[in-house]
Amino acid sequence: MLNPFSREGEGSLNVTGSSTASADPLDDPNFDPIDYINKKFPNEQSLSKIDHFIGELQEEVKSLDQQILVAVRKQATSSADTQRDLADVQTAIQELFDRIMRMKKKAAESENLVQEICRDIKCLDYGKKNLTTTITALKRLVMLVTALDQLRDAAANRHYRETANLILAIEELSLHFKDLIGVPKIAELLSQKATIFRELQKQLMEDFDTLLDTSQETCPCLPEAAAAVDAMTPDVRRDIVTSFCLRILEPYKKLFQPPEEASTLEMVERRYSWLNRTLREYDDKYASVFPETWAVSCALCEHFCHITRQHLVEVLGACHHTVDPTVLVRVLHKSIEVEEKLAKKFQNTTTDTGLNPFSPSAAGSESQMPPSLQYPDLLADAAKKRADGSVSRTVPRFKGIISECFEAYLGSWVRYEETQLIDSVSRATANDSIIGESDPSMASIRRGASFDRHDGDEEESDMPKYIFSSASEIFSAFKACLRRTTAISTHQTLFDIFQVFKRVLKRYADILTGRITKKVAPLTDEAARTIGSVIGTAEYCDSTLPALSSAIVRTIDEAFTSKVNFDPERDIMWNLKTGAVQSLVTSFETQLEPSFAKMTKTNWVALQEVGDQSSYVTEVGEVMTTQFPLVRANLSLTYYRFFGDKFAQWVVPKFISSIYACKKIGELGAQQLLLDSYSLKTLLLEVPVLAAEGKPVPAGYAKYVIREIGRAETLLKILSSSVEDVESLKTLLEGQGAVATQEEITRILSLKAGAADAAQAAAATDTGSATHPQPRVGAALQSFTVGGLTSGASHMLTQIQPHISQMPLQVPSFNFGGLHAGGSGSAGASAAPSPSVTSSVGILNTTTGASGSTVGERVGQPPSISTTASPPTAALSAGLPGSPQWPRNEAASSSDSEAPQQPQRPAMGRLFGDFQSLGQRLGGQATQDVKKLIGKFTDRDRGAGRPP
């Protein structure tokens, strides 16, 4: 029956009681009557069936009313049945509750009855338990008294097998009376037990002493006595074994006790021979007396080692200053060899602290209780508990038991090894030879003293070109010395040898430092080869030291691992490499100083024209092109680049400081120096690449050169401008995006040549000190008449006339290397400086792009920023504030994207090209007039002896 209150009943229960949802649209909860009527009667023709449709609806309504009536009747009937069933259920629950209550009552009555019945039984049970405990205690007391009497008689008669059983029984019984020590009778019995045990121990010691006492007959019952010893405490057996071993070693102590003749280090082998003979004698005479589990031979060797160690400490303390180190090490090796043999011989030996005579492993035991004891069943549990009661103890540590005493006295041997290593260094350096990368022995040298180093993982650029053969020999000596040291010590002595390695490396570094040639100019192939070998050897040592350190750390004691490192020595090798590279740079400094001195002595004010690069730049280029390949041939790529960084760090600041060292610099002089700066930059960027067979320079190097040469370019552009006062210079600097202090501005202005300096230079030129005079552009234009030109040309000249007076100031802004002036670009758009160049002069910084990175970084970590060397086109094309912008000559527009070339035409020719281009734009007769104007300028140039 469907629950009408369930969520499923909602919307699914129809009037007929069916649970199936109807497909009739009238049953839809979202029924829309308008939409329903429109579907039934979509047009006027369908209205003819409306009466029939209404009749169907009325019949359906009647049917639904009938169904509702039937459902209501059924619901009324089912409600009465439900009330009746509920009443029946309630009655049944009440009856069940009454039955449960009756059962609980009967259970409580039964429990009370059981307790009354068992109360007497519990009392009887307690009484039985107490009685049984009392009887057991009395039995044990009787057994203890009997066992003590029997033990006294058995010990007196030396019946040691029975004695062993009685000892264990007494020990077990005594445990039950330890809580009753306050009872006088029990305390008396325990006191008797202790007395009997002491007497028995003394008797056993005397019996075992007869083994080595020639005046007495050996006790025949010693094998059985061993069982009695095992039954007693472990201290008894230890005392017996120790006494036996010390009595055997008495002759040894007398023979080798210092200062006896046989106690010297040279006689140490006799000590170990004596031990071998004694062990063979023990096996022949006494091994059958002592149980194997006693390990008497192991204890004998242990006592021998302790005595020998004590003797050697006394001997070493007296003679370690004078003893021959080779003898000391030989004795140490022999001691280590004996220790290893003893450790191997007794590695599987174990000893028991007690043997249960009731077990089958007891000597002569048949697993029986003492036959005379009453109530043997009381000891059955004890026998089971002690069946596996033997406790093993480990073998003594033989390794180091003797040799460790040498640790404090190996100082003389360490000094001896240091002397040997120093001698090896002296011999190796005296007969030193240079090994090149093509030499077949180079590969073996890289692996010979590598100490697990994997050279195959290194890049080719890190491989040294040349090394000294002494480096391989020294590290081979280190390896052999380390092998010898680890064979005798892994503690303080090994750490002392590590300190010796450090001192020897320092001495070797001093020898290599002395081979660095100072101020060789020009650099010879021999000097370059020697310096390259020093660098390669230092790099070889630097890369091998970590592997040597790891080899020591893996072996040395943990207490010293944190102290083992060669960082100071690696720093020494790094400084050695840096000093060798600096010596190469010093050689170049010596050769280039005269060139830069020539630069500072040149009269840059009297310069009349700008031509090719200056002679001092040519000299710099000759030195670089001839000697950079020599440096590259002797250095690995990494250190060749490092040398390039150091050289650039010297030559660029030297060039800038030489500019400041000049007395005065005129406009043409500044232009010539600007051209020289580009030539110098080209040399610094191209010569290292050519010497390295096309391998590009690092990005950091290129960025440094461009940035620092840019400083010189900025300074020279300022010097070539027309400004001569502080305010104008500040305005110019602001236009360049630069910042300068007042002191720097004053220094720049003092370097700039004024009008008086120019007149003085011109006068010196007129007296014949200069070559052909060169008229200035402004004067030429002002002296040229404009008569006869057409109106178009006149209009053109009228437009440019205001700039004629400014032409002398604009000529310096032209690129004399075949490029246009600052205004040759369209609307000055191309006049912006290259965004990758950063220029500064002093602390005067002009930032036009990203800042450069530091040159001279540690080798192997070049900067990752890529920088492309930009020609000084932008710097020269930028012009200066206030410069007029001239139209571009279309015929030469492609030159902006090319690298600057040597001057092909004078700047005047370029200027005429611009005028001609302007005339072509005016067209017609104006073009002809401009040609006439240009022709007159050309004739004037030819008359002066200059090319058009």
Side-chain angles (χ1 to χ4, degrees):
M1 180 176 182
L2 183 66
N3 181 8
F5 303 103
S6 67
R7 190 172 293 275
E8 291 79 1
E10 298 177 9
S12 63
L13 178 65
N14 57 23
V15 293
T16 63
S18 175
S19 61
T20 304
S22 175
D24 192 342
L26 294 175
D27 294 335
D28 190 354
N30 299 323
F31 175 73
D32 187 359
I34 297 177
D35 182 61
Y36 179 74
I37 292 173
N38 289 333
K39 290 181 179 180
K40 289 291 185 179
F41 304 101
N43 49 45
E44 293 182 0
Q45 288 78 8
S46 62
L47 293 177
S48 59
K49 300 179 181 181
I50 191 171
D51 294 333
H52 177 72
F53 178 71
I54 292 174
E56 291 179 352
L57 291 179
Q58 290 176 348
E59 288 297 328
E60 188 173 354
V61 169
K62 291 179 181 179
S63 175
L64 291 174
D65 289 341
Q66 184 65 29
Q67 293 176 7
I68 292 172
L69 180 61
V70 172
V72 170
R73 289 176 179 174
K74 287 184 177 181
Q75 182 66 26
T77 304
S78 63
S79 177
D81 294 339
T82 301
Q83 293 294 333
R84 185 170 54 256
D85 293 340
L86 181 62
D88 293 341
V89 171
Q90 291 176 348
T91 302
I93 291 174
Q94 184 62 38
E95 292 178 356
L96 179 61
F97 181 74
D98 293 339
R99 290 180 181 180
I100 292 173
M101 295 303 296
R102 288 195 296 271
M103 292 176 64
K104 285 185 176 182
K105 184 177 179 181
K106 291 181 180 180
E109 293 175 354
S110 299
E111 183 178 0
N112 293 332
L113 179 61
V114 170
Q115 288 179 353
E116 291 178 0
I117 294 174
C118 295
R119 184 178 296 112
D120 295 336
I121 297 176
K122 184 181 295 185
C123 292
L124 293 174
D125 184 63
Y126 286 149
K128 179 183 177 182
K129 182 183 296 185
N130 293 334
L131 182 61
T132 301
T133 302
T134 302
I135 293 173
T136 302
L138 290 174
K139 288 181 177 180
R140 287 170 176 163
L141 182 60
V142 171
M143 292 176 65
L144 178 61
V145 173
T146 304
L148 288 174
D149 292 338
Q150 293 178 357
L151 178 61
R152 186 182 295 107
D153 295 339
N157 297 323
R158 285 183 168 78
H159 296 162
Y160 288 125
R161 182 176 300 176
E162 182 182 355
T163 300
N165 296 334
L166 289 171
I167 290 172
L168 291 175
I170 292 172
E171 290 287 359
E172 183 64 31
L173 292 172
S174 299
L175 295 176
H176 296 284
F177 295 100
K178 63 180 181 179
D179 295 334
L180 302 176
I181 193 67
V183 179
K185 183 62 177 177
I186 300 299
E188 182 182 353
L189 287 175
L190 294 179
S191 176
Q192 292 179 11
K193 170 206 164 187
T195 302
I196 295 173
F197 275 31
R198 283 194 301 271
E199 294 176 353
L200 178 60
Q201 179 179 354
K202 182 179 179 181
Q203 179 178 313
L204 289 171
M205 293 282 293
E206 292 175 352
D207 290 344
F208 277 100
D209 287 344
T210 60
L211 282 171
L212 301 175
D213 192 351
T214 57
S215 61
Q216 297 182 15
E217 184 180 356
T218 303
C219 180
C221 56
L222 287 181
E224 296 178 357
V229 173
D230 286 333
M232 301 181 73
T233 60
D235 294 339
V236 177
R237 185 178 69 179
R238 185 173 60 249
D239 292 344
I240 292 175
V241 171
T242 301
S243 175
F244 175 78
C245 294
L246 292 178
R247 292 188 66 185
I248 286 183
L249 292 172
E250 281 295 332
Y252 172 77
K253 290 191 290 184
K254 292 180 180 179
L255 181 61
F256 295 98
Q257 175 72 42
E260 298 295 334
E261 181 181 356
S263 65
T264 60
L265 292 178
E266 290 79 0
M267 298 291 184
V268 72
E269 293 184 1
R270 291 184 56 187
R271 294 175 178 267
Y272 302 132
S273 299
W274 186 95
L275 175 64
N276 293 331
R277 291 194 305 271
T278 303
L279 288 176
R280 287 194 297 270
E281 182 182 356
Y282 169 81
D283 292 338
D284 295 339
K285 295 183 179 180
Y286 311 113
S288 59
V289 176
F290 297 98
E292 185 178 354
T293 55
W294 283 26
V296 176
S297 60
C298 180
L300 179 62
C301 293
E302 181 182 8
H303 285 87
F304 170 84
C305 292
H306 285 300
I307 294 173
T308 302
R309 179 190 179 105
Q310 181 180 359
H311 289 177
L312 292 178
V313 168
E314 295 181 21
V315 173
L316 290 172
C319 68
H320 72 278
H321 293 292
T322 59
V323 69
D324 186 353
T326 57
V327 174
L328 184 64
V329 173
R330 179 171 58 82
V331 172
L332 179 55
H333 277 295
K334 185 62 179 179
S335 301
I336 294 175
E337 180 182 350
V338 171
E339 292 171 355
E340 292 176 350
K341 288 182 179 179
L342 293 178
K344 184 177 180 180
K345 180 177 181 179
F346 299 110
Q347 62 181 351
N348 297 323
T349 301
T350 57
T351 59
D352 298 333
T353 58
L355 181 66
N356 179 15
F358 302 148
S359 67
S361 60
S365 174
E366 298 179 358
S367 242
Q368 296 180 354
M369 294 293 297
S372 57
L373 289 180
Q374 298 179 1
Y375 320 116
D377 57 307
L378 296 180
L379 293 176
D381 293 339
K384 293 179 182 180
K385 292 179 181 180
R386 296 180 63 91
D388 297 325
S390 59
V391 180
S392 300
R393 68 181 181 92
T394 58
V395 181
R397 181 183 66 88
F398 283 107
K399 288 187 177 181
I401 192 171
I402 299 175
S403 58
E404 286 180 355
C405 72
F406 287 84
E407 192 72 40
Y409 303 101
L410 288 176
S412 59
W413 180 79
V414 171
R415 291 189 294 272
Y416 171 77
E417 286 293 324
E418 182 174 5
T419 303
Q420 294 298 314
L421 288 175
I422 292 175
D423 292 342
S424 298
V425 172
S426 301
R427 290 192 300 270
T429 53
N431 303 317
D432 223 343
S433 61
I434 296 177
I435 301 177
E437 60 181 349
S438 60
D439 196 303
S441 61
M442 176 63 84
S444 61
I445 287 177
R446 288 171 177 166
R447 295 189 301 267
S450 59
F451 299 92
D452 302 331
R453 176 183 171 205
H454 302 287
D455 287 1
D457 298 337
E458 298 182 2
E459 297 181 359
E460 183 276 333
S461 61
D462 291 333
M463 297 297 181
K465 292 277 188 178
Y466 298 95
I467 65 173
F468 288 113
S469 60
S470 56
S472 172
E473 297 177 14
I474 290 172
F475 276 97
S476 296
F478 282 177
K479 189 174 183 179
C481 181
L482 181 62
R483 190 185 307 111
R484 291 192 299 270
T485 306
T486 53
I488 62 176
S489 174
T490 58
H491 301 283
Q492 182 65 43
T493 302
L494 181 55
F495 183 74
D496 293 341
I497 289 295
F498 160 73
Q499 299 287 352
V500 169
F501 289 167
K502 293 168 72 72
R503 291 192 292 270
V504 173
L505 285 170
K506 177 63 169 60
R507 177 185 293 265
Y508 185 55
D510 293 339
I511 295 174
L512 293 178
T513 302
R515 294 181 178 180
I516 299 176
T517 308
K518 306 296 183 182
K519 295 184 179 180
V520 177
L523 186 66
T524 62
D525 183 71
E526 181 182 359
R529 183 68 51 84
T530 301
I531 294 175
S533 300
V534 170
I535 295 174
T537 303
E539 174 61 15
Y540 172 76
C541 296
D542 186 25
S543 59
T544 306
L545 285 176
L548 175 59
S549 177
S550 300
I552 297 175
V553 169
R554 287 196 302 268
T555 309
I556 201 168
D557 188 79
E558 293 183 359
F560 299 95
T561 53
S562 60
K563 303 177 183 179
V564 176
N565 71 80
F566 286 100
D567 291 344
E569 287 66 36
R570 297 190 68 189
D571 291 339
I572 291 174
M573 294 301 170
W574 172 253
N575 294 333
L576 178 60
K577 291 181 285 186
T578 304
V581 171
Q582 187 60 45
S583 69
L584 293 173
V585 177
T586 303
S587 175
F588 279 78
E589 292 178 10
T590 305
Q591 298 176 71
L592 297 182
E593 281 289 353
S595 300
F596 285 106
K598 181 188 296 185
M599 169 186 169
T600 58
K601 295 177 182 179
T602 301
N603 188 354
W604 298 106
V605 180
L607 191 66
Q608 297 301 311
E609 61 180 357
V610 178
D612 291 341
Q613 63 187 19
S614 301
S615 59
Y616 74 92
V617 178
T618 303
E619 295 173 359
V620 172
E622 290 176 354
V623 172
M624 291 182 63
T625 53
T626 56
Q627 299 203 3
F628 259 68
L630 184 60
V631 174
R632 174 65 182 103
N634 292 280
L635 296 184
S636 63
L637 181 60
T638 299
Y639 287 93
Y640 170 68
R641 289 173 173 173
F642 183 44
F643 160 75
D645 291 344
K646 290 290 186 180
F647 178 74
Q649 287 177 329
W650 174 80
V651 74
V652 177
K654 182 64 177 179
F655 176 67
I656 296 176
S657 63
S658 298
I659 294 175
Y660 282 108
C662 296
K663 295 181 180 180
K664 293 287 183 178
I665 299 177
E667 294 179 4
L668 291 178
Q671 294 168 16
Q672 180 64 52
L673 288 172
L674 194 59
L675 178 62
D676 294 343
S677 67
Y678 172 68
S679 299
L680 182 61
K681 178 166 63 177
T682 303
L683 287 172
L684 290 174
L685 295 177
E686 294 181 358
V687 172
V689 176
L690 295 175
E693 298 177 352
K695 294 182 180 178
V697 295
Y701 173 84
K703 180 173 286 188
Y704 174 81
V705 170
I706 293 171
R707 183 182 70 243
E708 297 303 313
I709 292 293
R711 295 174 55 188
E713 291 174 352
T714 301
L715 173 61
L716 294 172
K717 286 195 294 183
I718 293 173
L719 295 176
S720 65
S721 66
S722 60
V723 296
E724 296 184 357
D725 58 278
V726 175
E727 295 301 325
S728 300
L729 181 56
K730 287 183 178 180
T731 304
L732 176 60
L733 292 174
E734 293 175 358
Q736 294 287 328
V739 179
T741 63
Q742 185 64 37
E743 181 181 357
E744 292 171 339
I745 292 175
T746 304
R747 187 179 181 187
I748 294 172
L749 291 177
S750 65
L751 189 63
K752 183 177 178 60
D757 297 320
Q760 184 178 358
T765 303
D766 292 339
T767 61
S769 59
T771 59
H772 302 288
Q774 180 179 2
R776 298 177 65 88
V777 178
L781 290 178
Q782 290 174 356
S783 63
F784 186 76
T785 59
V786 295
L789 295 178
T790 63
S791 60
S794 300
H795 176 68
M796 178 192 69
L797 293 180
T798 302
Q799 288 182 331
I800 67 174
Q801 187 65 36
H803 302 294
I804 291 178
S805 60
Q806 296 294 327
M807 286 303 297
L809 302 179
Q810 305 311 319
V811 172
S813 66
F814 278 78
N815 184 342
F816 289 88
L819 300 175
H820 291 301
S824 61
S826 59
S830 64
S834 171
S836 64
V837 181
T838 301
S839 304
S840 63
V841 49
I843 61 171
L844 171 69
N845 295 321
T846 303
T847 303
T848 59
S851 61
S853 61
T854 302
V855 176
E857 297 157 329
R858 188 176 179 91
V859 174
Q861 301 178 354
S864 59
I865 302 176
S866 177
T867 306
T868 304
S870 303
T873 305
L876 295 175
S877 301
L880 296 171
S883 300
Q885 303 300 313
W886 297 93
R888 176 183 295 272
N889 183 357
E890 300 296 338
S893 61
S894 63
S895 62
D896 288 342
S897 61
E898 299 177 358
Q901 305 295 329
Q902 296 298 333
Q904 302 297 327
R905 296 176 61 191
M908 185 64 72
R910 287 295 185 187
L911 181 62
F912 291 163
D914 290 335
F915 283 160
Q916 184 176 7
S917 176
L918 182 59
Q920 290 174 354
R921 296 187 183 187
L922 294 175
Q925 184 62 35
T927 303
Q928 299 299 326
D929 295 338
V930 171
K931 289 182 178 179
K932 293 179 181 180
L933 175 64
I934 294 172
K936 292 188 177 183
F937 273 106
T938 304
D939 294 340
R940 186 177 186 125
D941 284 342
R942 288 173 178 169
R946 294 189 300 270

